[in-house]
Amino acid sequence: MENPVYISLSRMVALQRQMDVVANNVANATSTGFKREHVMFSEYLQRPSMGERVSMVRDRATTRDMSPGPMSATSNPLDLAIRGKGYFVVDTLNGPHYTRAGRFQLDPKGQIVDNNGLPVLGTDMKPITLQNGANEVRIQGDGSVFTNLDPKTPVGKINVVTFDKEQQMSEVGSGLFLTDEKPQPAPKDTRLAQGVIEESNVQPVVEMTNMMNVLRQYQGIEKIIDSEHKSQQNMIQKLGRQA
Amino acid sequence: MRSLAIGATGMQAQQLNVEVISNNIANSATNGFKAQRAEFQDLLYQNMRRIGSTSSDAGTIVPSGVQIGAGVRTASVYRIMSQGNLTVTENQLDIAVNGNGFFQIQLPTGETAYTRDGSFSLNPQGQIVTSNGYLLNPAITVPPNSQSITVSATGQVQAKIAGTVTPATVGQVTLAAFPNDAGLEATGDNLFLETPASGTAVTGNPGVQGFGSIVQGSLETSNVNVVQEITNLITAQRAYEMNSKVIKTTDEMMQTVGQMQ
């Protein structure tokens, strides 16, 4: 008897989660390298008794839209964008993490570090350190880093890696991703662009329509619960009167 | 509901974005000013259903879990160190750097500050100083009886002294360059200070490799592109509105719950 209410409630809870995901997308509409997320729902089948089927809904997963974000030129020598598939590797105390946000800087040791001061690793899995006194940095499409002191030999090569199962990477915030999968070198057509950053791939129009959709569905379900409540009330009143 | 707090972080971030943009627009006519940009990052995530957890006895794993983000935070406000436009002023002590490098300024505290603002003048002792009266480093003194001052593209300062034919060399302007200009710390008055993020200053003469050349009689204006700032302002304002819409929608959803019988 209570099933209609429970089914509706499962949808309401799922919609609340969806609203959280939409809100996070909107909040990160201007975050460098952010990838928008959407919620995947699935049917949750219950057989309370013979011949009866009840389908609840549950949010099975949040998936990431891995399409590239728009590129915006900053003309900062240490701003890098990845054209094509791939991630930068940064070193943390908990092992390497991966990111698409290429807003890099230098630390006191002359190492290339990300926004949080984590060293950006080269293909040898070591931080890239610029020579003392270098005042111009040039980074080629393949990730080789040159300075004005020695325009022939690179001081290092920025590591760009890919993964087979990108959706299995988990987010840890600050634009960083984590995965147990072994990284593979990026495909040949992945190039780095210097002085450019990849913006968030959130499309505001899509998020706004999603949001309206969530709200209307939420209100619609409230109506279902409401009418279910009324019919139960009705039933109790009628049956009660006859008794 | 989380979306209420998430929307609030978004509004805060866009508010800061508008503040940065308004500072850029306010300084669009400041000599040697470099535009700033606010940089945002996603906050931490909460795992509702962990990625890679086992979903059955057969050992199948969850291909992608439910991760709910907690909003946005400001990662940094960085500076865009691109060249500003040069405007001709015909003032002989207005000098601009065309290319890489900063003028070095001796602060009263003894520290060295760096600037791209080359509107210099002379103090009563005949020394070249900034508009605040701080000395150019290395100090250059122009003899009191000089008629005109010439600064060459390589930074050599010559003064034509009354009664002589050949101009006398009175000093050399040197420039400082950094591995990461964007890491410099702005202190106001168009001055920057060296930080660990900028790397140590390398000094050299203008025109040599890695340094720009000197243009006399010109000033470098700010590199603020007003059109770009206005479009950024529009984007920021719309993003602000969208985040407020998120809060409003959440509010309506909560209201719906409140009306349930």
Side-chain angles (χ1 to χ4, degrees), chain A residues 103-123:
Chain A
R103 268 279 308 141
F104 298 142
Q105 295 168 11
L106 288 183
D107 77 349
K109 288 179 254 168
Q111 288 178 357
I112 300 181
V113 294
D114 82 345
N115 253 324
N116 305 310
L118 305 171
V120 178
L121 296 182
T123 40

Side-chain angles (χ1 to χ4, degrees), chain A residues 64-84:
Chain A
R64 259 186 302 282
D65 177 356
M66 297 310 297
S67 61
M71 300 286 171
S72 102
T74 63
S75 65
N76 260 345
L78 287 172
D79 281 354
L80 296 176
I82 301 175
R83 286 182 200 274

